[in-house]
């Protein structure tokens, strides 16, 4: 699960990159009163929020009431964010671009993770190369990291989208369709990849996020009105993520068990999957958000998302990212 996800520096550096940095959030005030509602999906890349819940890290950063709301599909979490039912959401970089391109008032405030082999294309034994995708049915969830990864694989093989027979379905169902032999190809993400390969050991991983480094990443987006009215909550949320990553790095085995349970799988099934996810610390955010992510990753993902029809109007880093929170920590 993909995707796709990053950006940040000081206020002056942010201006150089065209990034947004509001003076109010630079002050990093204490967390405001009230509940912070955050959307999440069962993806390993968002696992540090489960670590934070298990170890009471939200309250340690002054957040007394964080409501983590689970969603099954991208379209549902996107709708909740658009309607104001949630204040923040964990989504793929390309999804954030698509939201802002469509006029949704949100900003990326933190790079969470990069998927390496945790977003992938699984194939049956009769598909031995990307060229073999031609004419084949491919199960995947439209508008997600799976969509972006599929387009990348087709481009690498010199194929067009019209060369395959798309079979749109939720990412959670794609692996099952492959096991049941309803399709010969499925693009999905963890934990569904591991579940599918356990169900049918003959399946092969033909293409993954590692095949196109940086393509699949995830970010934390926050509604503009929440950034304006509750900057202290957002600053504390970012500190919570960093504290969770630090705890995970020091207690990897125990925290992997927490994350695995939260996403509905066993830690044994996901050990390899965990190795395919890179979590970003606050310090790493400061280093890459205003650098490599904005200058290299951002345009690459934007191109792929545009070709997939996910983004209708071009967007720039300045429209998408608020760098002030990570820079102020």
């Amino acid at each position: 699960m993909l995707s796709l996800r990053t950006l940040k520096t000081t206020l002056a550096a942010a201006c150089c990159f065209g990034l947004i940095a509001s003076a109010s959030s630079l002050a990093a005030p204490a967390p405001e009163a009230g509940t912070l509602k955050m959307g999440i999906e069962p993806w390993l890349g968002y696992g540090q929020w489960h670590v934070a819940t298990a170890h009471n890290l939200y309250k340690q950063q002054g957040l007394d009431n964080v409501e983590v709301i689970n969603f099954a599909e991208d379209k549902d979490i996107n709708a909740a964010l658009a309607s104001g039912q949630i204040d923040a959401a964990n989504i793929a970089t390309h999804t954030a671009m698509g939201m802002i391109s469509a006029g949704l008032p949100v900003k990326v405030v933190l790079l969470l993770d990069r998927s390496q082999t945790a977003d992938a294309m699984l194939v049956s034994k009769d598909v031995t190369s990307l060229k073999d995708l031609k004419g084949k049915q491919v199960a995947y969830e439209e508008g997600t990291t799976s969509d972006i990864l599929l387009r990348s694989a087709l481009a690498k093989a010199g194929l067009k989208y019209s060369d395959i027979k798309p079979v749109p379905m939720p990412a959670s169902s794609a692996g099952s369709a492959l096991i049941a032999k309803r399709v010969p190809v499925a693009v999905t993400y963890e934990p569904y990849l591991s579940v599918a390969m356990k169900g049918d050991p003959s399946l092969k991983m033909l293409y993954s996020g590692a095949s196109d480094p940086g393509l699949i990443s995830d970010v934390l987006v926050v509604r503009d009105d929440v950034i304006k009215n509750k900057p202290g909550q957002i600053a504390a949320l970012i500190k919570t993520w960093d504290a969770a990553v630090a705890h995970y790095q020091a207690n990897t085995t125990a925290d992997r068990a927490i994350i695995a349970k939260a996403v509905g799988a066993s830690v044994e099934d996901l050990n390899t999957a965990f190795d395919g996810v890179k979590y970003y610390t606050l310090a790493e955010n400061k280093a890459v958000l205003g650098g490599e992510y904005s200058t290299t990753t951002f345009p690459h993902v934007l191109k792929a998302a545009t070709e997939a029809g996910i983004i209708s109007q071009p967007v720039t880093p300045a429209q998408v990212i608020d760098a002030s929170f990570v820079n102020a920590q």
Side-chain angles (χ1 to χ4, degrees):
M1 236 309 292
L2 100 185
S3 144
L4 288 160
R5 312 169 184 179
T6 111
L7 278 134
K8 278 93 180 152
T9 341
T10 62
L11 178 58
C15 293
C16 292
F17 283 105
L19 306 182
I20 297 170
S22 72
S24 61
S25 54
L26 280 174
E32 298 79 8
T35 301
L36 175 64
K37 296 182 178 181
M38 179 172 66
I40 196 169
E41 291 184 73
W43 156 239
L44 296 184
Y46 309 145
Q48 300 308 321
W49 298 124
H50 301 302
V51 172
T53 297
H55 300 295
N56 204 30
L57 300 182
Y58 295 105
K59 289 191 176 182
Q60 288 181 24
Q61 297 300 331
L63 289 169
D64 293 327
N65 198 355
V66 176
E67 186 177 345
V68 180
I69 303 171
N70 290 292
F71 293 86
E73 297 183 46
D74 283 17
K75 63 180 180 63
D76 297 325
I77 198 170
N78 297 353
L81 191 62
S83 63
Q85 295 177 48
I86 56 177
D87 304 308
N90 298 269
I91 59 178
T93 290
H94 76 270
T95 304
M97 291 177 175
M99 286 181 172
I100 294 165
S101 174
L104 189 64
V106 298
K107 294 290 185 299
V108 169
V109 298
L110 184 71
L111 171 64
L112 302 172
D113 67 83
R114 184 181 72 218
S115 176
Q116 295 166 150
T117 56
D119 282 80
M121 173 184 290
L122 295 181
V123 298
S124 58
K125 58 186 178 182
D126 59 324
V127 179
T128 60
S129 71
L130 291 177
K131 293 286 187 182
D132 291 339
L133 295 176
K134 188 169 185 177
K136 297 289 193 304
Q137 289 182 306
V138 181
Y140 73 101
E141 185 175 342
E142 293 179 304
T144 67
T145 52
S146 301
D147 195 338
I148 294 292
L149 190 65
L150 172 59
R151 308 277 178 161
S152 171
L154 292 172
K156 183 157 287 191
L159 298 174
K160 300 177 182 178
Y161 182 72
S162 58
D163 287 328
I164 65 166
K165 297 176 181 177
V167 184
M169 65 178 66
S172 57
S173 303
S176 300
L178 181 59
I179 292 174
K181 303 189 185 309
R182 295 198 300 272
V183 296
V185 183
V187 187
T188 187
Y189 48 80
E190 296 292 3
Y192 310 123
L193 289 170
S194 292
V195 171
M197 288 188 285
K198 184 178 181 180
D200 184 351
S202 72
L203 298 178
K204 301 187 298 291
M205 186 179 290
L206 186 62
Y207 198 79
S208 72
S211 306
D212 193 345
L215 180 69
I216 308 298
S217 59
D218 291 292
V219 293
L220 175 66
V221 297
V222 181
R223 291 179 57 85
D224 286 355
D225 59 328
V226 179
I227 290 175
K228 178 181 178 181
N229 298 320
K230 297 184 178 180
Q233 286 191 351
I234 306 311
L237 192 62
I238 288 173
K239 290 179 181 178
T240 300
W241 172 270
D242 194 50
V245 174
H247 194 284
Y248 173 86
Q249 291 174 341
N251 306 274
T252 303
T253 300
D255 284 349
R256 282 186 173 185
I258 290 169
I259 297 170
K261 181 178 180 180
V263 301
S266 70
V267 68
E268 292 78 13
D269 289 341
L270 295 182
N271 269 327
T272 300
F274 275 113
D275 293 336
V277 177
K278 156 69 179 174
Y279 294 111
Y280 282 88
T281 65
L282 177 56
E284 289 170 328
N285 266 268
K286 289 183 179 183
V288 304
L289 274 171
E292 180 185 356
Y293 181 85
S294 62
T295 59
T296 304
T297 304
F298 190 97
H300 180 48
V301 176
L302 179 62
K303 181 176 183 293
T306 301
E307 291 174 350
I310 296 169
I311 295 177
S312 56
Q313 297 294 327
V315 290
T316 66
Q319 292 173 278
V320 175
I321 298 139
D322 183 337
S324 63
F325 290 97
V326 295
N327 292 334
Q329 304 298 326

